[in-house]
Amino acid sequence: MTVDDGAPRVMILNGPNLGRLGVREPEVYGHASMADLELAAAEWAGGLGLEVQVRQTDDESALVGWLHEAVDGRSHVVLNPAAFTHYSYALRDAAAQVTTSGLLLVEVHLSNPAARESFRHYSVVAGIATGTVAGFGFDSYRLALEAVHNKLSG
Ligand code: DQA
């Protein structure tokens, strides 16, 4: 048996078009970039005693692979599935493996999809997530990390 007494690991995974943050519809998603999110996340995680990694891909299979990696490496997940939120059953099934293996998965959104176009109202991921934070810009990620920290400390 191995004993892992390091800081809890959290993978912050981001789906398609989120690499365009700062340029893409700034009135909806803000002016800050994915690089800015990486810096902010490292700072928040440091304060919470978490070890974070931020990744982004436009590729569904890469995102599915990273969720498998999270399960195998016992990493909690903060997931912004972007448009995959609304239709990717493959992503949903991969995300379900995170929570059914006893790890936390927080679904996050910068915007509040429920207040936008109707195709954004349904999330295929929400039903298997530990919880969801939406509508607070970068603060959605900060709140998600705090929720992970609080749940692990609880
Ligand atoms: C998003 C909301 C999704 O509807 C959209 O497709 C995105 C970003 C958000 O963070 O607000 O790409 O996940």
Side-chain angles (χ1 to χ4, degrees), residues 8-68:
R9 287 184 293 277
V10 183
M11 287 168 72
I12 302 182
L13 303 181
N14 296 282
N17 297 302
L18 292 171
R20 304 286 297 161
L21 282 183
V23 206
R24 172 194 182 198
E25 298 175 77
E27 66 289 355
V28 177
Y29 299 113
H31 292 274
S33 67
M34 186 52 60
D36 295 327
L37 178 63
E38 280 178 45
L39 288 174
E43 197 176 312
W44 297 326
L48 294 167
L50 301 171
E51 188 186 308
V52 288
Q53 247 189 52
V54 181
R55 300 185 191 177
Q56 187 276 327
T57 182
D58 293 336
D59 186 77
E60 187 179 24
S61 72
L63 209 46
V64 166
W66 289 346
L67 288 165
H68 296 168

Side-chain angles (χ1 to χ4, degrees), residues 16 18 24 29 80 82-83 86 109-111 113 116 120:
L18 292 171
R24 172 194 182 198
Y29 299 113
N80 186 342
H86 312 300
H109 299 283
L110 294 151
S111 67
R116 300 179 61 196
R120 298 185 201 276

